[in-house]
Amino acid sequence: MTAAWRAHKKGAYFANPCFTQIHPTCIPVSGDYQSKLTLMSESLRNDGRIWVPKNPNDTRPPNQIPEEERDYYLERMYPSFANLVPRDVASRAAKRMVDAGYGVGPLKNGVYLDFKTAIERLGRSVIEQRYGNLFDMYENIAGENPYEVPMRIYPAVHYTMGGLWVDYNLMSNLPGLFVLGEANFSDHGANRLGASALMQGLADGYFILPTTIAGDLAPQLNTPVPSTDSPAFREAEEGVREQINRLLSIKGSRSVDSFHRELGKLMWDYCGMARNAEGLKHARQRIAELREEFWKDVKVLGEGESLNQSLEKAGRVADFFELAELMCQDALHREESCGGHFREEYQTPDGEAQRDDEHFAYVAAWEYCGPGKDAKLHKEDLVFEYVHPTQRSYK
Amino acid sequence: MSTLNLTLKVWRQAGPNDPGRFEVYEANGINEDMSFLEMLDVVNERLIAENKEPIAFDHDCREGICGSCGMVINGVPHGPKKLTTTCQLHMRNFKDGDTIVVEPWRATAFPVIKDLVVDRSAFDKIIQAGGYITAPTGAARDANSILIPKQIADQAFDAAACIGCGACVAACPNGAAQLFTAAKIAHLNLLPQGQPERWSRTVAMVDTMEEYFGSCTNYAECEAVCPKGISIEFIAKMNRDYLKAKFKDRRAVVKVDMTEAAG
């Protein structure tokens, strides 16, 4: 993130930041000390069945709840795709169940992912071969054995599909700045499928760049590389030094982590799985206030001349504030629901995402205009020549 | 859910050339569902509140797959639980009232940078010597056109499970890196794509390893602490390939032998 964001602040457009991948199969929140909501691989949904008790007040352990009292809600709502619906659909369905009071676990904040049927059908050893490492990981974290007790899962934010804008040669709007893999915005559009980090790394790094970068490099053969004495380098170096000194000299009262947590909570609440205009406006204001507080009151101990993890983290969190503001700005401007961006105001009568292709079939590429200022929108129209977008249906 | 009151003895060292020492911290009210690193996060937040510099430690994915984290916990790299990285070690593995001693990896090849953070770039040197295949870019062939027996694929996968954390070196009385190097060599040397450079790779990686690390005397401590359960059988494979490669050297010093490679 740091490299992409610093490039953005030097003029590279940042595209589609509002499209946020929410991962449906994460370990639910158990306390505020958690450093992450560990992602259990999506592959688990190949054999696991997702359900909640039909009675929201059911306190029995999952294995004592008989079949007819379970609601396999994805199988019920999406009979043709069932547990394999796309991530955004699976995530929102889980949120709906938990919001409606059907959540399971001590904090009633998860849904069951059950392998009982698969173990009966395929045998434990097949399941062990397929998912053994994930099951071990789950047991380590949750302290429950998923071969015997269903896993508890809940969606968590994984990733913004957005990134630096690039053309078909993977070059950003800054000549000579190529952006590969997850740092660019290109391959995922508004949604993102499994194994896409690997896919994009391979596609960009192995197939595309080797043939496109040559065209940029060839005319520059024998051009001397600018030295570290050049004014541009000096300026960048001075900028970094200044930021480091500023962070160290604030000597405020709040740790970097406390800001990070508060920012994360704001984003989850207002720019998460479901957004609306009012919430996004509120979040933008709160983020701006929190950013100002950060620059007045953050406490970074130690010095800048040797390894200082608080200082490193402070630099990242400073970037996160700005990215968060841009995500909210983009989410607020995109008045439709599309893939990983769900605006509550724009949904079909049965609660599915409602796109507005007439007004929003474009890439939103944002130009940085200075600290605390609105970014400037550049549109790249999406032209569909052969395959035309339609309303999805997984029913 | 219960909470633990613990006493931590943590190695603090300001920089590579500064003397280190153990500092004692009371870690009270620790939730048993926390991971070891989350426990340290909590301790660090408390230290920051007291205007004391937080304990530096390496971490990244916190899912046991990146190889960044690692510390010696009560004398054992990655702590008391088998097949577990420090980030996946949860506090329910400890008892209320325990004293926990936390140290960095101790090995000549891994100098301390700060507190629990060590420099593991000697591992990178080994990888740079041959831990890759020099495949040409361009159109790749269809993956299914290269058939690999399941048994071989499984073995290669077992070797490739190495996350390069360095626990093997930290556990070894000799500070040897045989398990790491053997895993990295095996995962390529077992597969068809790894054959053309098999012999040159083995020699280059082993020789580079010898420059930085101690020698293996078959203690097998490495296997005992490896969070990914890498078997020392791979060390035997590496030694065999090294020996074979050395015999080939007598015929042609650098040349890659394609006929052997195919076999």
Side-chain angles (χ1 to χ4, degrees), chain A residues 78 84 107 115 138 197 200:
Chain A
Y78 306 98
L84 295 175
L107 300 174
F115 290 87
Y138 180 85
Q200 199 177 0

Side-chain angles (χ1 to χ4, degrees), chain A residues 155-168:
Chain A
V157 183
H158 186 213
Y159 176 87
T160 166
M161 261 78 78
L164 295 182
W165 182 89
V166 288
D167 61 15
Y168 282 102

Side-chain angles (χ1 to χ4, degrees), chain A residues 170-189:
Chain A
L170 299 182
M171 190 164 82
S172 69
N173 58 305
L174 301 182
L177 177 67
F178 286 78
V179 187
L180 281 75
E182 295 184 296
N184 74 35
F185 86 110
S186 66
D187 294 354
H188 306 302

Side-chain angles (χ1 to χ4, degrees), chain A residues 30 33-36 38-39 137 139-143 206-207 210 255 257-258 299 301-302 307-310, chain B residues 31 33-34 38 41 45 48-49 51-54 56-57 61-63 81 84 88 90 92 114 117 136 138:
Chain A
S30 63
Y33 57 82
Q34 266 170 306
S35 49
K36 78 186 296 182
T38 303
L39 163 70
M137 192 156 109
E139 189 171 358
N140 253 340
I141 298 170
Y206 200 74
F207 300 113
S255 72
D257 274 352
S258 80
K299 185 200 269 192
L301 299 169
L307 178 75
N308 185 337
Q309 293 179 319
S310 303
Chain B
N31 182 324
D33 287 334
M34 286 178 188
E38 286 168 345
D41 289 339
E45 283 294 291
I48 292 170
N51 290 319
K52 291 178 183 156
E53 267 201 69
F57 60 90
C61 79
R62 298 202 180 200
E63 295 187 356
K81 194 153 187 257
T84 304
Q88 292 293 303
H90 284 70
R92 66 180 79 90
K114 186 176 183 174
V117 179

